Amino acid sequence: MEISQDSKNIAALMWLGSIFVGFIAPLLVYFVKTEDAFLREHSKEALNWAITLVIMSAIAWVLVLVLIGFVILPILLLLNLLFSVLGAVAALDGRIYKTPICWRIIK
């Protein structure tokens, strides 16, 4: 099955949008583009990453009280940037991207 260029572009924009708006961009794609399997897979992965990031960020903010959170928060920011860009590149290439550090809550 050939993946349309529109699907690739939407998936890439969704990954890049998740850098700025968190889980909102993947959530919109997940619920609006239900008939496209490629977009469905990318939006599930981006949502799972966003949920994982929120959980890890909450833990990091608690750890700010013992000062280690100040180290963890910038690392999470860089990981979000890295994984989102890698997801966008994979989407443009027509590949499914799986983030290496992610709880797969949405199946």
Side-chain angles (χ1 to χ4, degrees), residues 7-30 38-53 79-102 104:
S7 292
K8 293 177 186 179
N9 292 341
I10 291 170
L13 287 172
M14 176 204 58
W15 276 106
L16 294 175
S18 70
I19 295 171
F20 304 106
V21 295
F23 66 89
I24 295 171
L27 190 65
L28 284 173
V29 172
Y30 186 77
F38 180 74
L39 285 175
R40 189 85 168 164
E41 283 302 311
H42 271 281
S43 62
K44 279 195 295 192
E45 188 63 23
L47 270 172
N48 282 328
W49 168 243
I51 292 167
T52 301
L53 186 64
L79 284 175
N80 185 37
L81 183 64
L82 175 69
F83 293 159
S84 296
V85 169
L86 289 174
V89 170
L92 289 173
D93 288 341
R95 296 179 287 115
I96 299 296
Y97 178 69
K98 298 289 185 189
T99 54
I101 306 169
C102 185
R104 302 226 161 35

Side-chain angles (χ1 to χ4, degrees), residues 22-80:
F23 66 89
I24 295 171
L27 190 65
L28 284 173
V29 172
Y30 186 77
F31 284 120
V32 172
K33 293 289 192 176
T34 57
E35 72 285 347
D36 191 328
F38 180 74
L39 285 175
R40 189 85 168 164
E41 283 302 311
H42 271 281
S43 62
K44 279 195 295 192
E45 188 63 23
L47 270 172
N48 282 328
W49 168 243
I51 292 167
T52 301
L53 186 64
V54 165
I55 292 168
M56 289 191 303
S57 295
I59 293 169
W61 275 109
V62 170
L63 291 175
V64 163
L65 297 173
V66 290
L67 302 178
I68 195 166
F70 289 115
V71 175
I72 296 172
L73 284 170
I75 292 170
L76 290 177
L77 182 69
L78 289 174
L79 284 175
N80 185 37

